Amino acid sequence: FVLHEPLGDDGGHYNSSLRIPGGLEMTTSKDVLEALSHGAGPRKVLVTLGYSGWSAGQLEDEISRNGWITVNAEPSIIFDTPVQDRYERALSLLGIDPGMLTGEAGHA
C-alpha cells in the first residue's frame, strides 16, 4: 500500500489509485513503486505492508462502540512528523493528551 499526495489535479495517475478525503491517494499497484524507484514517483509517500481482516460489518461495529479513535487525515502528520511523534500529534487534533488515557474501562 502506498499512501501519497496526488501528482496533480487530475489524480488517479497510477493503476488502482483511490482518492482519499483530505487530498491523498492510496495506490496498490506496482507502477507507483516502479516510478518511485526511478525518482519519478510522488514526492511524499508512506509505503506500508501488512494485512488486517475483519468480518463483514465488524470494523463499523467496533467504531460505533468507540473501539477506535479516528481523526481526519492530516498530511503533515503522515508525511512530515517523525513516526514516534505521530500518535501524540494525531490525538492532539481531538484535544486529547495521551497521558490522560487508560486501558481500563468504566461507566460514567
Side-chain angles (χ1 to χ4, degrees):
F1 297 96
V2 180
L3 183 66
H4 59 90
E5 293 185 323
L7 292 180
D9 293 334
D10 59 345
H13 179 79
Y14 301 105
N15 295 326
S16 78
S17 289
L18 299 173
R19 285 185 178 249
I20 306 292
L24 301 172
E25 291 185 2
M26 174 70 76
T27 304
T28 58
S29 56
K30 72 176 185 173
D31 60 340
V32 70
L33 297 174
E34 290 169 345
L36 287 168
S37 72
H38 294 104
R43 197 171 55 89
K44 293 187 175 189
V45 299
L46 176 65
V47 179
T48 61
L49 178 64
Y51 172 81
S52 291
W54 285 270
S55 60
Q58 180 182 349
L59 180 59
E60 292 83 357
D61 180 59
E62 291 176 9
I63 290 172
S64 73
R65 290 185 290 114
N66 294 318
W68 294 85
I69 297 175
T70 61
V71 298
N72 290 331
E74 176 55 52
S76 68
I77 294 175
I78 296 167
F79 300 120
D80 303 324
T81 303
V83 172
Q84 67 271 15
D85 298 331
R86 289 179 189 166
Y87 176 72
E88 187 171 328
R89 288 268 326 272
L91 286 176
S92 75
L93 295 175
L94 298 173
I96 296 174
D97 175 354
M100 301 299 291
L101 296 176
T102 179
E104 301 296 318
H107 300 279

